[in-house]
């Protein structure tokens, strides 16, 4: 399970959670050397209020937060006021899935290629799912068991994809131009109307606490 990020320079004047303009790519982001990166995905049916250090974020149902960076080491993260303790290693990248009672970690991998784009799929539904080309001819990622994640590096290209569920349902994704050096997330999540899937570009947080 991989997800990402190449750290190029250190901007000493930035706060711990600071990031640059959201229109810049991952390679233009700057963080202190050996930082840890973390984000939260909310798979509940309600809002999730995230607090870590002096930083706050509110996540809607099914929403993935931006990646944040902080010094490695012990930290307490709160969701809706409930504390969770973690110890993040240097240059670690993690996605924490909030299910209403717990934060389930997905250990991602530091991504530092300028030649490829990275697709990362999180199957947070209750059944196996596969990421395919829109015509079903090629399996891009998976099949993934419920609650698992995986990734694949591919060339920068315009793609049309879908998520095929074990039940036989097919969930089309928006067509996207994958850019080299960028990371893209496919989320398969439960929803009020059934399982939902979407593809979005991954970002580092653009606001400071």
């Amino acid at each position: 399970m991989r997800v990402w990020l190449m750290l190029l320079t250190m901007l000493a004047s930035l706060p711990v959670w600071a990031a640059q303009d959201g229109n810049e790519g991952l390679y233009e982001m700057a963080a202190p050397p050996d930082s840890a990166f973390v984000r939260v995905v909310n798979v509940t049916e309600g809002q999730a209020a995230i607090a870590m250090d002096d930083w706050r974020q509110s996540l809607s149902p099914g929403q993935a937060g931006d990646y944040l960076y902080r010094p490695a080491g012990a930290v307490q993260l709160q969701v809706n006021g409930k504390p969770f303790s973690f110890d993040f290693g240097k240059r670690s990248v993690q996605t924490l899935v909030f299910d209403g009672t717990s934060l389930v970690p997905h250990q991602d991998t530091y991504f530092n290629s300028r030649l490829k784009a990275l697709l990362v799929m999180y199957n947070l539904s209750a059944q196996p799912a596969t990421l395919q080309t829109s015509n079903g001819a090629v399996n891009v990622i998976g099949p993934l068991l419920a609650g698992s994640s995986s990734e694949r590096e591919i060339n920068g290209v315009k793609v049309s994809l879908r998520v095929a569920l074990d039940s036989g349902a097919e969930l089309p994704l928006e067509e996207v131009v994958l850019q080299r050096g960028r990371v893209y997330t496919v989320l398969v999540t439960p929803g009020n109307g059934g399982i939902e899937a979407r593809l979005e570009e991954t970002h580092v947080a653009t606001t400071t606490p």
Side-chain angles (χ1 to χ4, degrees), residues 37-208:
F37 292 80
V38 61
R39 69 172 169 179
V40 175
V41 177
N42 176 23
V43 295
T44 72
E45 295 182 359
Q47 291 289 123
I50 315 300
M52 183 155 50
D53 298 331
D54 294 326
W55 180 85
R56 304 290 184 271
Q57 184 178 30
S58 180
L59 299 179
S60 300
Q63 182 181 358
D66 293 335
Y67 275 96
L68 308 155
Y69 57 79
R70 72 173 317 277
V75 65
Q76 187 178 88
L77 188 152
Q78 294 187 8
V79 183
N80 294 339
K82 182 178 180 179
F84 299 88
S85 296
F86 292 93
D87 195 336
F88 298 129
K90 296 178 180 179
R91 291 169 59 113
S92 64
V93 185
Q94 298 189 58
T95 293
L96 307 177
V97 178
F98 181 60
D99 61 9
T101 58
S102 61
L103 279 175
V104 181
H106 288 251
Q107 185 66 53
D108 303 323
T109 302
Y110 197 89
F111 176 67
N112 63 355
S113 173
R114 287 182 176 272
L115 302 178
K116 301 280 188 177
L118 184 69
L119 273 172
V120 185
M121 179 176 172
Y122 300 86
N123 180 18
L124 307 179
S125 74
Q127 62 177 285
T130 304
L131 182 65
Q132 302 176 334
T133 53
S134 59
N135 60 6
V138 177
N139 286 355
V140 180
I141 297 176
L144 293 182
L145 297 178
S148 65
S149 59
S150 187
E151 52 76 27
R152 181 172 179 175
E153 293 184 19
I154 64 175
N155 294 323
V157 67
K158 187 175 184 179
V159 293
S160 180
L161 303 170
R162 73 182 189 190
V163 171
L165 301 176
D166 195 51
S167 64
E170 298 171 357
L171 307 176
L173 300 170
E174 289 189 13
E175 191 173 64
V176 64
V177 178
L178 302 179
Q179 299 183 50
R180 291 181 297 174
R182 304 289 182 91
V183 178
Y184 299 83
T185 296
V186 176
L187 283 176
V188 184
T189 59
N192 292 331
I195 296 175
E196 302 173 349
R198 66 180 180 277
L199 187 158
E200 55 192 35
E201 185 177 345
T202 303
H203 297 288
V204 172
T206 58
T207 59
T208 57

